Amino acid sequence: MTNTPTAAEDNGNWEEQINYTLHWGESVDVNGSLIKAHDFSRARPFDIETDYVMLTILSESSEEWNVMLSTNSSDIPVSKIVGGRLNITALEVVTGNDIPTPYTKIGVSIFNFTTQNSESWINTTLQVSKTKLKNVNIDERAFITIQLHNLRGSSLDDISINETLPENLIFDPEIEEINISDLNPYSKKVIQYSVKALYPGNYTIPPTEIRLVNNGITYFQYSNSTNFIVHGPYINATKTVKGNDTDPEILDIAVNVKNEGDRAAHIRIQDEMLVESKLIDGKTSADLVLLPNNTTNLSYIVHMNKIQGNMIVPSAIIEYTDAKGYSGTVRTNRYYLNSIYEDGGTIVFDEYEEDKEQQITNFTRPAKQVEVEEDGLKYKTIRSVKDIVDNTMRIINQALSW
């Protein structure tokens, strides 16, 4: 009984057969698979038609097959296709009791999958579709649904799903790689998981990659892409301090707040004044509804009773709530007051970790690369209490060295 390698017609082509001789217990490596002459039929004074060899085949991925072959038997095949990529044919089986050990001569042909035919095979084997996502609000999850359809009459038992998300979109809850081991013939399976956006906007989720391993061969199939809109307010804020040209003790302070989202928000602005300052005009708080793509400005003027080295411009705090109850807080960056008199631009030295997702950083030089000089002393960027202590000790040591 011959096992004809018909797969070559639609998957690729078989290489020319190579012959090997294996004695009992010997093995040979063929294209990464180890073929071993595991056992033979019982030795007799002469060879008979029912003599056979038992081969074990171990693949690179640790898959194992047992194959029994005979050269002239109506019940035992003369050849066998293993793993869809090795065609093994028994050419001779010798088991006589007048030889040191039984042996077999086998011919092995390797199947080559061409790229085009591999794509053709996967397209007629597995169909993948991704449903269009519904638009959601910023505090809601969007659900991704993937459908896998087995188009063949045999089970698919080694499938993994790899989803790639665009920037500012996360899995919620977090998921590991999804594996499927039981896609039955002609059956469908639906996989669903959810994502959440960090910001409002238009999002496109690229095609989902499906990896299928069949008979030791890895195939890739892809779904369609899909897009959806995340609605909500997106509040950004900056705070600027400008010195007066005629009176250096007068400072003009402005807080600029913009709604870059597509939904209105009720906002409350509360700014903290500089130490040693007195309000002489304007106001430091505001309460209003900010429409999409609109901007509001809060401005006031202060008089500095005293200007000390290393004074800090504190953050303005903006709290906002939309009509559906979604809320958040934005803080403007803090920086050294001294830097507003320098040509290099505002030196931002701190960010609030909890507000990074709702904050745009506006500065001309990175804080970690800049040092502020005053009266010949250098003050490095402050990020913690330890930094304050270190800077203080550095100042003392420099003073003592003078």
Side-chain angles (χ1 to χ4, degrees), residues 7-8 10-12 83-85 111-126 128 152 156-162 208-222:
D10 56 9
N11 282 49
R85 55 199 176 97
F111 186 66
N112 284 325
F113 285 83
T114 63
T115 301
Q116 181 178 358
N117 288 328
S118 293
E119 292 177 358
S120 175
W121 184 88
I122 191 65
N123 288 335
T124 57
T125 300
L126 183 64
V128 184
R152 298 244 173 192
L156 304 176
D157 55 10
D158 191 352
I159 301 173
S160 59
I161 300 175
N162 179 29
T208 304
E209 180 186 82
I210 310 298
R211 183 179 65 89
L212 167 64
V213 179
N214 185 61
N215 289 327
I217 306 299
T218 300
Y219 303 87
F220 293 94
Q221 182 65 293
Y222 298 89

Side-chain angles (χ1 to χ4, degrees), residues 362-402:
N362 291 300
F363 55 93
T364 56
R365 291 186 290 172
K368 63 182 180 181
Q369 296 179 356
V370 181
E371 295 180 349
V372 180
E373 292 192 10
E374 182 191 7
D375 297 330
L377 300 180
K378 291 187 177 180
Y379 301 86
K380 289 190 175 180
T381 297
I382 295 176
R383 293 191 178 275
S384 65
V385 175
K386 181 179 181 299
D387 288 340
I388 297 175
V389 174
D390 290 343
N391 277 336
T392 303
M393 293 303 298
R394 190 179 298 108
I395 294 168
I396 294 173
N397 290 333
Q398 289 182 7
L400 290 175
S401 66
W402 291 348

